Amino acid sequence: MKKLLPILAIILVTCGALNAQSNFTVAYSMGFASGDLADFVSQASFRGATMEFRKMVQPNVGVGLTFGWNVFYEELSRESYTVGASTLTGKQFRYSNHFPMLLGGTYYLSPGEKFNPFVGLGIGTIYTRRNTDMNLYTVEQEAWNFALQPEVGFLYSVTDGAALFVSGRFNQGFKAGNELESDQSFFTLNVGFSFMNQ
Amino acid sequence: MAALPVVLLSCYPAGPEYVEDLDVTYTTYDQDFDFQSKSTYAMPDQIVIDVEIEDGDTTYVYMKDIFADPILAAIEDNMLAKGWERVGIHQDPEVLVTPAAISSTTYFYTYWYDWWYGGWYGGWGWYYPPSYTVSSYTTGTMIITMADPNVEDDSPINQSETAWVAAANGLFTGDYDLSRVTRAIDEMFDQSPYLKLN
């Protein structure tokens, strides 16, 4: 985990420097698993964050980068797992980390207005790392999923340079590699602030 | 803003909270072995915890009775509940049940550079020098095997194949909490319905 911190720090610094006709968003991100991920971890995730940078290429069109982190976690009760003649009983601790990294485009419906709804689409990758811990051991499965991320949301201006940001995204990571056999997808609800540079 | 990764790390899921959360119990058996045709077993009155070999002489080291007796009683209770009759080693038992316990200590050392973040000054780096720590953990494993002593003449190496192996592993705390061991023994037998004769 510590390896990721400098990467996140660099991203933050870089995004802060690119500020002409742009906006930068930082948001808290709640995750709701679907499909194979929901089979692995059924509980919603309240641990996550996302940030995005958008450079305005038209008054109502922004393009840029979106990054995020969502970790899903579930502690299973003590259960038995049988394979053939062998049975193992114990507690499982399940973690699923997801790091979306996407190029994105956003279309703003009411630029300049106090209430500014938008729709967007991101294309890129989601790095997925799934850990199943039992006893002192962990089974780790990774995938770099090709990802699509449709988004709808709105900005609500609170000052000249800052707006409340609320969005819903569906993070669709398509099956990749041979460690995880299915798509990895989840919905996120993101609440934060956008900072504009006019 | 550079403090954000630190905030994210601090809310990472906690994982196991109690040492019992790491306890696992495992069983496996020979699917061709006919347990139902047997009904008597013999078991030693002591539990081997180590073997010392000095000048070619082999000496077994046994667990203290105060700990071994409740463990042996738990095995006997479970065998009785499954319909097995305990007999002496010289009364032609149809199977032998042999308990053993081993502990294993793993040492590891880690080093890392303490992190610091330049925060508002826009940089990050490490403190110097790095710090080193040495740690260890000890796991205890309880192993119970069941084998038919009457088939060793059929073996080229004069040994019986094991019909049933059960193992329980957990972190060793120094509390000598026997309930963790007796619970594991109960789980071993719960996992093994094929041992039931009645």
Side-chain angles (χ1 to χ4, degrees):
Chain A
M1 187 56 230
K2 282 206 157 117
K3 287 181 202 161
L4 293 163
L5 296 182
I7 298 170
L8 287 169
I10 289 166
I11 292 163
L12 282 167
V13 171
T14 311
C15 291
L18 302 166
N19 55 17
Q21 293 283 309
S22 63
N23 67 62
F24 177 71
T25 303
V26 181
Y28 169 61
S29 179
M30 291 164 273
F32 306 90
S34 71
D36 180 63
L37 180 59
D39 292 339
F40 182 67
V41 179
S42 60
Q43 291 171 350
S45 160
F46 296 98
R47 297 178 174 96
T50 184
M51 53 196 149
E52 65 174 43
F53 168 76
R54 289 288 182 269
K55 180 171 173 57
M56 302 308 292
V57 292
Q58 297 282 329
N60 56 356
V61 177
V63 294
L65 299 167
T66 302
F67 296 93
W69 173 44
N70 297 88
V71 54
F72 294 82
Y73 170 74
E74 187 168 10
E75 177 182 331
L76 270 59
S77 57
R78 198 171 174 82
E79 287 175 42
S80 293
Y81 305 88
T82 299
V83 178
S86 303
T87 304
L88 184 65
T89 302
K91 285 189 86 159
Q92 276 191 14
F93 298 85
R94 295 179 168 186
Y95 304 81
S96 194
N97 280 274
H98 303 268
F99 297 89
M101 291 166 256
L102 305 110
L103 286 168
T106 305
Y107 180 81
Y108 298 92
L109 276 68
S110 309
E113 305 283 323
K114 195 170 178 66
F115 180 75
N116 183 7
F118 61 82
V119 293
L121 180 67
I123 297 176
T125 185
I126 299 175
Y127 169 64
T128 297
R129 197 181 73 189
R130 173 185 287 192
N131 286 79
T132 308
D133 291 7
M134 215 170 163
N135 190 248
L136 297 173
Y137 299 92
T138 186
V139 175
E140 188 164 289
Q141 296 160 296
E142 295 176 300
W144 285 91
N145 309 98
F146 171 71
L148 287 177
Q149 188 193 63
E151 178 179 26
V152 294
F154 65 85
L155 294 170
Y156 186 82
S157 291
V158 287
T159 69
D160 278 351
L164 176 69
F165 170 94
V166 177
S167 90
R169 290 177 184 153
F170 188 72
N171 300 269
Q172 171 66 39
F174 294 94
K175 179 190 176 319
N178 50 18
E179 293 190 12
L180 289 166
E181 292 183 350
S182 302
D183 292 0
Q184 299 295 307
S185 57
F186 56 99
F187 176 80
T188 54
L189 177 62
N190 312 290
V191 180
F193 284 96
S194 280
F195 304 96
M196 289 91 172
N197 284 292
Q198 301 297 332
Chain B
M1 200 171 283
L4 185 66
V6 179
V7 175
L8 295 180
L9 189 65
S10 67
C11 62
Y12 200 71
E17 286 180 65
Y18 304 102
V19 68
E20 290 89 344
D21 288 348
L22 299 173
D23 290 353
V24 290
T25 305
Y26 171 81
T27 54
T28 190
Y29 69 105
D30 177 358
Q31 287 170 295
D32 295 329
F33 190 85
D34 185 8
F35 294 99
Q36 300 300 316
S37 67
K38 323 286 183 201
S39 63
T40 61
Y41 74 101
M43 182 170 70
D45 292 324
Q46 289 177 300
I47 297 174
V48 175
I49 56 172
D50 205 352
V51 180
E52 289 176 356
I53 301 171
E54 201 172 322
D55 297 333
D57 293 331
T58 303
T59 312
Y60 292 108
V61 181
Y62 296 104
M63 189 185 288
K64 286 181 178 142
D65 288 347
I66 189 171
F67 303 118
D69 288 349
I71 293 171
L72 291 165
I75 298 170
E76 187 168 358
D77 288 349
N78 275 285
M79 288 295 281
L80 185 65
K82 295 271 191 215
W84 292 79
E85 181 191 354
R86 186 174 180 181
V87 299
I89 188 70
H90 300 299
Q91 295 173 275
D92 288 335
E94 288 165 302
V95 296
L96 293 179
V97 172
T98 46
I102 53 175
S103 72
S104 155
T105 300
T106 304
Y107 292 92
F108 57 98
Y109 80 95
T110 56
Y111 67 93
W112 59 73
Y113 297 87
D114 286 327
W115 294 94
W116 60 271
Y117 291 93
W120 306 112
Y121 304 105
W124 51 272
W126 298 281
Y127 279 123
Y128 186 83
S131 59
Y132 294 85
T133 59
V134 179
S135 305
S136 72
Y137 62 86
T138 301
T139 60
T141 307
M142 174 88 212
I143 301 170
I144 304 174
T145 60
M146 181 186 287
D148 182 347
N150 306 307
V151 295
E152 62 185 39
D153 290 345
D154 301 335
S155 158
I157 52 170
N158 260 7
Q159 289 183 349
S160 303
E161 281 188 22
T162 306
W164 181 68
V165 178
N169 177 271
L171 272 182
F172 194 70
T173 61
D175 287 343
Y176 306 114
D177 181 359
L178 277 172
S179 69
R180 286 171 63 201
V181 183
T182 53
R183 177 182 75 164
I185 291 168
D186 290 345
E187 282 180 347
M188 291 172 180
F189 284 89
D190 288 345
Q191 286 181 8
S192 311
Y194 40 82
L195 293 179
K196 190 168 176 60
L197 306 179
N198 49 6

